[in-house]
Amino acid sequence: MSSDSLNILFVDDDALARKVVARQLAALGHEVTPLASGAEALDALAEETQLLISDVRMPGMEGPELARRVREKRPDIPILFITGFADHRLLRAMEGLNCHMLPKPFDRKQLSAAVDEAVSLEAPQD
């Protein structure tokens, strides 16, 4: 389990997935803002946001587009994608975005490890 509490935006269009993963993140000690769309995430993105976790496939704005738009505002923020599947078009769209991927299904321990990895790899280099 991560020793640091993070301010996380979590985006998933599936209400049940949003509820379950938000609970897992909260149980790990993080402050979580669950959101249903990429547009909501862009509106909620703030300077105190420390991590964006997003589903890849969503209506309206898919994960790669959300990541590109978030990077325009906050190039430093770690991004973790969670997905049950992603087609080749989406995988190609994610190239160069410096994002991390966690395949579904996952448990709390795997989620914790993925969060820790995403955040630690985004740490500034001296």
Side-chain angles (χ1 to χ4, degrees):
M1 180 159 57
S2 174
S3 58
D4 296 329
S5 177
L6 299 171
N7 185 317
I8 299 173
L9 293 185
F10 172 57
V11 189
D12 197 315
D13 61 303
D14 181 280
L16 180 58
R18 203 168 47 246
K19 182 177 180 180
V20 169
V21 175
R23 279 188 182 166
Q24 289 178 328
L25 290 165
L28 291 168
H30 302 299
E31 184 176 325
V32 185
T33 303
L35 304 161
S37 71
E40 287 182 12
L42 291 173
D43 288 344
L45 185 66
E47 195 59 40
E48 58 270 9
T49 303
Q50 296 170 290
L51 175 64
L52 171 69
I53 300 176
S54 176
D55 192 11
V56 173
R57 294 186 58 129
M58 297 183 292
M61 184 186 311
E62 292 183 326
E65 176 62 20
L66 173 59
R68 274 190 291 283
R69 294 182 64 183
V70 164
R71 290 274 189 241
E72 290 172 5
K73 294 181 176 189
R74 292 277 313 277
D76 61 319
I77 193 168
I79 298 174
L80 173 63
F81 284 123
I82 58 171
T83 186
F85 62 97
D87 61 33
H88 293 294
R89 176 186 57 82
L90 287 174
L91 293 174
R92 279 192 305 276
M94 291 172 19
E95 290 176 2
L97 292 175
N98 193 26
C99 298
H100 307 276
M101 180 84 64
L102 177 62
K104 293 177 184 176
F106 53 82
D107 60 24
R108 189 185 323 178
K109 184 177 178 182
Q110 292 166 317
L111 178 61
S112 178
V115 166
D116 289 346
E117 179 182 359
V119 173
S120 69
L121 290 178
E122 293 292 327
Q125 302 296 315
D126 289 336

